[in-house]
Amino acid sequence: GFFQFIYGAYEHFSGRHQIFWNQPDNLKFFNGTFLNYNHFAGMMGMLVPVLLGFALASMLRVVEGGKKANQSVRFRLNKALSNPRHNWTVLVAMFAFTMALGILLSGSRSAGLILGLSLLLMTTFLIVRRRHRSWAVVPILIACAVVLVAAYFSFDRVRGRFTGIKEGVDSSLLSRVELWRTGTQMLQQFTWTGIGAGVTPSLLYRYQGTALGDRYGVHLHNDWLQGFVELGVPGGLVLVLLAGVF
């Protein structure tokens, strides 16, 4: 993940916009070695909560023993960071920070939203556990730092991804809404049997409206909806159950 961020930063800010020696068409976003910046941000979004949680848990274990009620967060954090055995923990936290920054610089709205919800959930867990409540400020500070740094490097890019929604002129969002509407129609017609696994690219063009113009969709831009469309309601519920167990 850290390599993806460093490489993505090099390609983006240098203006090369390549993936190694290849130069794909319309590669203008912060996306590492991924052709699609949403896929890049999706991978980062899965790594950040794991790494940040791991770093927090490591520091909490250091300060658990002999902790006094009047010890401040600053004292506990200093105690954790001054332990030579946990220098690598700081490195992991830095990796998490850079990957979170990569999500915002990519401009992926869904991954940015998931990142915010993940940090909010982590903060909530820390608040609920009384003895760790004072540590809840850490995810909040990290979120604020990531937003500020992202705004400094690419304010127009980050702002533009959200102002387009407000003004109703974001073509990417409008096309996705059209695909979701099409998927809903397909699900209504094949509610119980589905259209078949992997059939969406071959069948979607028959149902999509005119909002996409002369373009043809090959997926519904929503894994859950596409799962229900291809497998039907019974198969979709199995997917939800498997995801819940996992």
Side-chain angles (χ1 to χ4, degrees), residues 1-16:
F2 184 67
F3 165 77
Q4 289 289 344
F5 171 81
I6 294 298
Y7 183 77
Y10 166 71
E11 291 288 355
H12 181 75
F13 292 112
S14 68
R16 278 168 40 93

Side-chain angles (χ1 to χ4, degrees), residues 146-182:
V146 167
V147 171
L148 289 175
V149 175
Y152 174 79
F153 282 106
S154 189
F155 177 75
D156 292 336
R157 160 72 172 155
V158 175
R159 182 185 63 176
R161 293 293 291 166
F162 293 91
T163 54
I165 298 177
K166 183 178 179 180
E167 297 170 0
V169 295
D170 190 287
S171 59
S172 175
L173 180 61
L174 294 177
S175 62
R176 294 184 190 193
V177 172
E178 174 63 23
L179 289 171
W180 298 338
R181 185 182 296 112
T182 301

Side-chain angles (χ1 to χ4, degrees), residues 22-215:
N22 297 312
Q23 190 169 9
D25 296 333
N26 300 321
L27 191 66
K28 56 183 178 179
F29 301 122
F30 194 108
N31 51 347
T33 61
F34 288 78
L35 288 172
N36 189 308
Y37 63 91
N38 284 312
H39 299 168
F40 162 82
M43 188 194 78
M44 296 297 193
M46 290 187 288
L47 290 174
V48 170
V50 175
L51 294 177
L52 184 57
F54 184 79
L56 275 173
S58 298
M59 289 188 289
L60 286 171
R61 282 198 298 268
V62 174
V63 300
E64 280 298 315
K67 187 183 72 173
K68 298 180 180 179
N70 60 350
Q71 290 180 348
S72 64
V73 176
R74 180 179 178 182
F75 177 85
R76 300 175 202 168
L77 188 61
N78 183 60
K79 179 181 178 182
L81 297 180
S82 61
N83 191 323
R85 294 182 304 169
H86 289 273
N87 289 338
W88 57 273
T89 302
V90 179
L91 187 63
V92 170
M94 185 193 72
F95 287 162
F97 175 82
T98 55
M99 293 176 199
L101 179 60
I103 291 175
L104 291 192
L105 292 178
S106 73
S108 176
R109 292 170 297 217
S110 58
L113 176 62
I114 294 300
L115 173 64
L117 292 176
S118 298
L119 293 176
L120 178 62
L121 188 62
M122 186 175 296
T123 302
T124 303
F125 285 154
L126 290 171
I127 292 176
V128 170
R129 301 197 64 176
R130 185 178 298 274
R131 62 179 180 174
H132 296 157
R133 184 170 298 174
S134 57
W135 287 86
V137 69
V138 175
I140 297 175
L141 290 176
I142 290 178
C144 293
V146 167
V147 171
L148 289 175
V149 175
Y152 174 79
F153 282 106
S154 189
F155 177 75
D156 292 336
R157 160 72 172 155
V158 175
R159 182 185 63 176
R161 293 293 291 166
F162 293 91
T163 54
I165 298 177
K166 183 178 179 180
E167 297 170 0
V169 295
D170 190 287
S171 59
S172 175
L173 180 61
L174 294 177
S175 62
R176 294 184 190 193
V177 172
E178 174 63 23
L179 289 171
W180 298 338
R181 185 182 296 112
T182 301
T184 302
Q185 295 174 355
M186 297 169 68
L187 181 60
Q188 290 175 348
Q189 183 172 351
F190 300 94
T191 305
W192 301 108
T193 61
I195 62 175
V199 180
T200 298
S202 303
L203 199 61
L204 184 56
Y205 75 95
R206 297 185 181 181
Y207 289 86
Q208 71 180 45
T210 59
L212 297 179
D214 58 353
R215 296 176 299 164

